[in-house]
Amino acid sequence: MTAIEEMQVTTKKETQILEVAERLFATKGFEGASVREIARDADVSVSMISYYFGSKEKLMEAIVLKRLGLVKLRLEHLLEDFRLSSLQKMYAVVDSNVEDIIERQYFQKIMIREQCGKSSTTTARLIEDNRKDIGELMRKLISEGQRKGEFRGDVDITLLMMTLIGTTNYIMAAEKHYRVEHDMMHTGKQEFQKFVTLHVSNYIKDIFRHVLCD
Amino acid sequence: MTAIEEMQVTTKKETQILEVAERLFATKGFEGASVREIARDADVSVSMISYYFGSKEKLMEAIVLKRLGLVKLRLEHLLEDFRLSSLQKMYAVVDSNVEDIIERQYFQKIMIREQCGKSSTTTARLIEDNRKDIGELMRKLISEGQRKGEFRGDVDITLLMMTLIGTTNYIMAAEKHYRVEHDMMHTGKQEFQKFVTLHVSNYIKDIFRHVLCD
Amino acid sequence: MTAIEEMQVTTKKETQILEVAERLFATKGFEGASVREIARDADVSVSMISYYFGSKEKLMEAIVLKRLGLVKLRLEHLLEDFRLSSLQKMYAVVDSNVEDIIERQYFQKIMIREQCGKSSTTTARLIEDNRKDIGELMRKLISEGQRKGEFRGDVDITLLMMTLIGTTNYIMAAEKHYRVEHDMMHTGKQEFQKFVTLHVSNYIKDIFRHVLCD
Amino acid sequence: MTAIEEMQVTTKKETQILEVAERLFATKGFEGASVREIARDADVSVSMISYYFGSKEKLMEAIVLKRLGLVKLRLEHLLEDFRLSSLQKMYAVVDSNVEDIIERQYFQKIMIREQCGKSSTTTARLIEDNRKDIGELMRKLISEGQRKGEFRGDVDITLLMMTLIGTTNYIMAAEKHYRVEHDMMHTGKQEFQKFVTLHVSNYIKDIFRHVLCD
DNA sequence: CATGAATGAGCTTTCATTCAT
DNA sequence: CATGAATGAAAGCTCATTCAT
C-alpha cells in the first residue's frame, strides 16, 4: 500500500457501501431501503454496515456529512473571489447549485426526503445546520450587492434560494416528465444532463436577474 | 338517523384512517409509517386497514386518488372560464396551486416522496397520469395565450410549472427555515399560512408574468 | 367459553410460554435461552412472545412476578395463625420453603442466577423488594418468639434464613450429586422429592432449633 | 530480563483475560458476557481470546481448571496434618471454604451458575469430577472422626457440606441484602470481608459441631 | 360488518470466529 | 506471536396480513 493510498481514510468497501446506500436511500427512502439490500448491492456482507458505520442511521449521517461539507466549502471560496461582481457571484451560485443537483441526484433526493420528515433525527440536524450556514453566506452576498447598488433593496433572499433549490430539485425528481415534455425520452444520460444544466441554469439566472435587479 | 347520515357514520372510520395515514405517510414515508401506528392514531383496530382498503399499498392509492381527482377537476373548470384573460387564468392557476400546496401540506409531501422513488408502483403511475393530464391542460392555456398575443412564443411551460410546484413544495418542506428567516417562529399556523399564501403567490405571479410576457 | 374459563386471565398459549420459559431460563440462563427456542418448545411462533409479553425481558418479569406473589401471601397467612407456637411457626416456614424450593426447582434456579448478576434490571428489583418484605415478616416472627421466651435473644435471623434458602437451593442445584451420594441415582422424581423434602426439612429444623433455642 | 520474567511478560495478557472473563462470566453469565466485552475490559484485541484459548468455551474451562486444582490440593494437605483432631480439621475445612467463597466471589458465582445448567458441557464435567474428589476426601475425614469417637455415627456428610457451601454462597450472592440487614451498607470491602469471614465461619462451625458431635 | 388472535417473513444488530498479513 | 478486517449465523423484535368468530 503506497503512502497516498494510505491517506484515503475510506476503504474500497466503505466507498461501495456509501455509494449504494446513497442510491437506495434516495430511491426507496431511509426505511424503505434495508441494510440487507444495501449490502447485497454493494457486494459485502450485511455485518459490514454495522462494522464500518456503527448502524444504519450512522451510515446515513456519514453520507450527508460527506456531501454537505463540500457544498459549503465551495460556496465560501466562490464568495471570496473579489474579481467577480455581485451578480456574477450570484450567477456562479446558480451554476454551482444546478450542477450539484443535477449531477448528485441521489443525494438531492435524500435531502428532499429528509426535509419532509420530522426534524428530530441527527441527520435532520446536520442538514438544518448546513442550511443555516449557507443562508448566512447568501445574506452576505446579497448585502454586498445591495451596498454596491447592483441589487434592489427589498430582495427576499430566502424565497430566491428556495426558487433555485426547489425548482431544480423538482426537475430532477420529475426527470421522466421533463424528458417526455422535451422529447428527450431516449437521450443519453450525459447529453441530457448537459442540456438540462445549461437550460435550467439560464432559465433561473434570468429569474434571478429579474428579481434582484429589475 | 337518515340514510345519508348513516352513510357518513359507516364511513367515519374510513375517513379517520385516510387522514391519519396521509399525515404519517407524509412525515415518515410509506415504509416508515406502520399500519399499527396508523391504526392507533386513527383509533381503529389494525385489521381495519386491510379490511377497508385491502392492503397498506391500496390505502396509499386511495389517498392519492382522492386528492388528485379534485385538483384536475378544479383546473378544468378554471380554464373554461371565458371571462378571464390568459394571464388572469395563469394567475388563478398559481393561486390555486399555492393554496393547495400550503393547505394540503401532508399530501404534497407524499407526492414529493413518491417522485423520488422508482416509478413502478401503482401509486407512481397514478401520479404520472395526473401530471400528463395537467400538462395537457396547461399547454392548451399557453397556446391560447400565445394565439391571443398575451404570451411570448418561446415559453417553456414545463419549466414554468416546475418552478411553481417545486418552489412552493420546497417552501413548505423547509417551513421551519422559512419561519426563522422571516421572524415567524411563533406565528400561529393559520396566520402563517395566510401570510405565506399571499407572499408566495405574488412572488411567483411576478416571475410568471416576467417569463410569459416580458 | 364459560364464565369460569373467561376468568382465567392467561390463555393456554400464554401458560405454555411461561412454563417453557421458566425451564429454559433456569437451565440456560436468561441470555442463554433464546426466544426462538422458547417458542419452539412451547409450540408457538416466535412473535407470540412479543405479542403476549412485550419482550423477552418482560417475559422474565412475568415469571418472577407470578411466583413471588404467592410466596409472600402464604407466609403472611402462616404467621397470622395464633394456634401455633413461635417455634412451630418457624418449623412451618422451613417446611414451606423446603417444599417450594424442591417442587419449584426451575424458578429457584432463576432466582439463584439473578442473584449472581448485577442488580440493575427490573427483575432484580422485583426480587429485592420481595426479599425485603419476607425479611420484615421474619423479623416479626423472631421478635414474637423472643418476647415469649421461646427463642434466644441474640439470634441472627438473616444468617438463619440464608442457611435455609442457601442450603436448600444448593441441594437442588446439585441434585445429581445428592442422588449419587445417597444411592438414589435411579429413584423416580416423585419419590426422590418426597424423600428429600422430609430429610432436608428435618435436618434444617434441627439446625434451627439449635440456633434459636439451645 | 530473565527467562522467568519473560514468561510472565508473555502471559500477562493471558492473565488479564482470565481475570476479566471470570468477573464477567460471574456477573453476566456465560452467554451474557461477550468476547468483545471481555477483550475491551482486558485491553486486548478480540481475536486474542480465540488465539490464546481456542474459543470462548475453552476460556471458561481454563478459568475453572485453574481454580479447582488449588482447592483440592489445599484440602489434601490439610487432611494429612496429623497434629489436628478430626473436629479441628473440620473447622479448618470450614475456614478454608468460607475464605474461598468470600474472597473468590466471582469464581463461586460461576460455579453456582454452572450447577444450574445442564451437565453436558465440558465445564460441568470438570466441576462434577472435582466434587466427587472433594466428597471422597470429606468422607475419609468423617470416617476418621467416627473411628476416633469424635463424631456421631449417623452423620450425613453430603448435607453438611451443602450447608457449608450453600449458605456461604448464598450470603455472597445476596451480599447487598446481608449488608442492609447488618447495617453495613457503606462498610469498605476489606473490612466487610473480614467481618463476614469471621462471623459466618463461627456460625457454621457451631452448626457443624452441633450436627457432628451433639 | 368488525376484530382480536396469531403468524411467517423480514428487519437491524451483535455474535464468536477465521484469516491474511 | 499478534491483529484488524471480514463474515455467516443467529439474536430479539416488528412488520403487514390472515382468519375464525
Side-chain angles (χ1 to χ4, degrees), chain C residues 26-28 31-32 109 112-113 115-119 128 131-132 135 139 156 158-160 162-163 165-167 169-171 173-174 176-178 181-182 199-200 203 206-207 209-211 214, chain D residues 26-28 31-32 109 112-113 115-119 128 131-132 135 139 156 158-160 162-163 165-167 169-171 173-174 176-178 181-182 199-200 203 206-207 209-211 214:
Chain C
T27 50
K28 306 187 133 198
E31 341 271 342
K109 286 184 177 174
I112 296 171
R113 282 182 190 272
Q115 279 154 20
C116 294
K118 291 182 303 173
S119 54
E128 205 183 320
R131 189 149 46 198
K132 233 173 259 171
R139 235 190 320 273
D156 187 328
T158 312
L159 220 41
L160 203 59
M162 285 177 166
T163 303
I165 299 171
T167 303
N169 272 340
Y170 193 83
I171 291 167
K176 201 179 159 188
H177 179 60
Y178 185 94
E181 298 292 325
H182 290 84
H199 186 204
V200 172
Y203 168 75
D206 177 53
I207 291 176
R209 197 199 43 73
H210 170 67
V211 171
D214 282 359
Chain D
T27 50
K28 305 186 137 197
E31 341 273 343
K109 286 184 178 175
I112 296 171
R113 282 184 192 271
Q115 279 155 21
C116 293
K118 287 186 303 174
S119 52
E128 204 181 323
R131 190 151 45 197
K132 235 174 255 170
R139 234 186 324 266
D156 186 329
T158 312
L159 221 41
L160 204 58
M162 285 178 166
T163 302
I165 301 171
T167 303
N169 272 340
Y170 192 84
I171 292 167
K176 200 179 160 189
H177 180 60
Y178 184 95
E181 298 292 327
H182 291 85
H199 187 206
V200 172
Y203 169 76
D206 176 54
I207 291 177
R209 196 200 43 73
H210 169 69
V211 172
D214 283 357

Side-chain angles (χ1 to χ4, degrees), chain B residues 109-124:
Chain B
K109 287 186 177 174
I110 289 176
M111 296 282 285
I112 295 172
R113 282 184 192 270
E114 279 300 311
Q115 279 153 21
C116 293
K118 289 185 303 175
S119 53
S120 55
T121 62
T122 307
T123 309

Side-chain angles (χ1 to χ4, degrees), chain C residues 58-187:
Chain C
K58 295 246 186 73
L59 168 56
M60 174 64 118
E61 289 166 25
I63 292 171
V64 172
L65 217 54
K66 177 186 147 200
R67 294 278 188 210
L68 287 187
L70 294 176
V71 170
K72 197 181 135 197
L73 206 68
R74 192 145 35 82
L75 188 57
E76 282 173 338
H77 282 160
L78 195 153
L79 297 186
E80 282 167 1
D81 190 335
F82 57 89
R83 292 165 307 180
L84 302 175
S85 73
S86 292
L87 187 61
Q88 281 175 321
K89 280 183 187 173
M90 195 56 96
Y91 280 179
V93 169
V94 172
D95 279 332
S96 165
N97 265 276
V98 170
E99 263 173 49
D100 250 28
I101 290 170
I102 280 160
E103 276 170 27
R104 245 84 73 194
Q105 287 181 53
Y106 287 139
F107 180 61
Q108 288 309 320
K109 286 184 177 174
I110 288 177
M111 296 280 285
I112 296 171
R113 282 182 190 272
E114 277 300 312
Q115 279 154 20
C116 294
K118 291 182 303 173
S119 54
S120 55
T121 61
T122 306
T123 307
R125 210 165 334 112
L126 286 174
I127 293 176
E128 205 183 320
D129 288 350
N130 182 261
R131 189 149 46 198
K132 233 173 259 171
D133 293 345
I134 303 268
E136 208 74 40
L137 291 170
M138 290 310 296
R139 235 190 320 273
K140 267 195 218 162
L141 174 53
I142 295 287
S143 300
E144 178 191 302
Q146 290 172 325
R147 232 182 306 113
K148 293 200 279 181
E150 287 186 60
F151 298 162
R152 292 166 45 180
D154 61 342
V155 177
D156 187 328
I157 178 63
T158 312
L159 220 41
L160 203 59
M161 285 309 286
M162 285 177 166
T163 303
L164 167 59
I165 299 171
T167 303
T168 330
N169 272 340
Y170 193 83
I171 291 167
M172 293 326 293
E175 176 184 333
K176 201 179 159 188
H177 179 60
Y178 185 94
R179 291 178 98 117
V180 170
E181 298 292 325
H182 290 84
D183 266 332
M184 302 181 81
M185 274 311 283
H186 303 98
T187 309

Side-chain angles (χ1 to χ4, degrees), chain A residues 26-28 31-32 109 112-113 115-119 128 131-132 139 156 158-160 162-163 165-167 169-171 173-174 176-178 181-182 199-200 203 206-207 209-211 214, chain B residues 26-28 31-32 109 112-113 115-119 128 131-132 139 156 158-160 162-163 165-167 169-171 173-174 176-178 181-182 199-200 203 206-207 209-211 214:
Chain A
T27 50
K28 306 187 132 197
E31 342 270 345
K109 287 184 177 176
I112 295 171
R113 281 183 191 271
Q115 279 153 19
C116 294
K118 290 182 304 173
S119 53
E128 204 182 320
R131 188 150 48 197
K132 234 173 258 172
R139 234 187 323 270
D156 186 328
T158 311
L159 221 41
L160 203 57
M162 286 179 165
T163 304
I165 299 171
T167 303
N169 272 342
Y170 194 83
I171 291 167
K176 199 177 161 190
H177 179 62
Y178 185 95
E181 297 293 326
H182 290 85
H199 186 207
V200 172
Y203 167 75
D206 176 54
I207 291 176
R209 198 201 41 73
H210 169 67
V211 172
D214 282 358
Chain B
T27 50
K28 307 188 135 194
E31 341 271 344
K109 287 186 177 174
I112 295 172
R113 282 184 192 270
Q115 279 153 21
C116 293
K118 289 185 303 175
S119 53
E128 204 182 320
R131 189 151 44 198
K132 233 173 258 170
R139 235 187 322 270
D156 186 328
T158 312
L159 222 41
L160 204 58
M162 285 178 167
T163 302
I165 299 171
T167 303
N169 272 341
Y170 193 84
I171 292 167
K176 200 179 161 189
H177 180 60
Y178 184 95
E181 298 291 326
H182 290 84
H199 187 207
V200 172
Y203 169 76
D206 176 55
I207 291 176
R209 197 201 41 72
H210 169 68
V211 172
D214 282 357

Side-chain angles (χ1 to χ4, degrees), chain B residues 43-103:
Chain B
D43 204 37
V44 299
S45 78
V46 274
S47 32
M48 291 305 302
I49 278 141
S50 295
Y51 181 66
Y52 273 129
F53 300 96
S55 71
K56 193 188 180 186
E57 182 99 34
K58 296 252 183 68
L59 168 59
M60 173 67 117
E61 289 166 26
I63 293 170
V64 172
L65 256 173
K66 177 186 148 201
R67 293 280 190 208
L68 285 187
L70 294 175
V71 171
K72 198 181 134 197
L73 207 69
R74 191 145 37 83
L75 188 59
E76 280 173 340
H77 282 161
L78 194 154
L79 296 187
E80 281 167 3
D81 190 336
F82 57 87
R83 293 165 305 181
L84 301 174
S85 74
S86 293
L87 187 60
Q88 281 174 320
K89 282 183 185 172
M90 196 55 96
Y91 281 179
V93 169
V94 170
D95 279 333
S96 165
N97 265 276
V98 169
E99 264 174 48
D100 249 27
I101 291 170
I102 282 162
E103 278 169 25

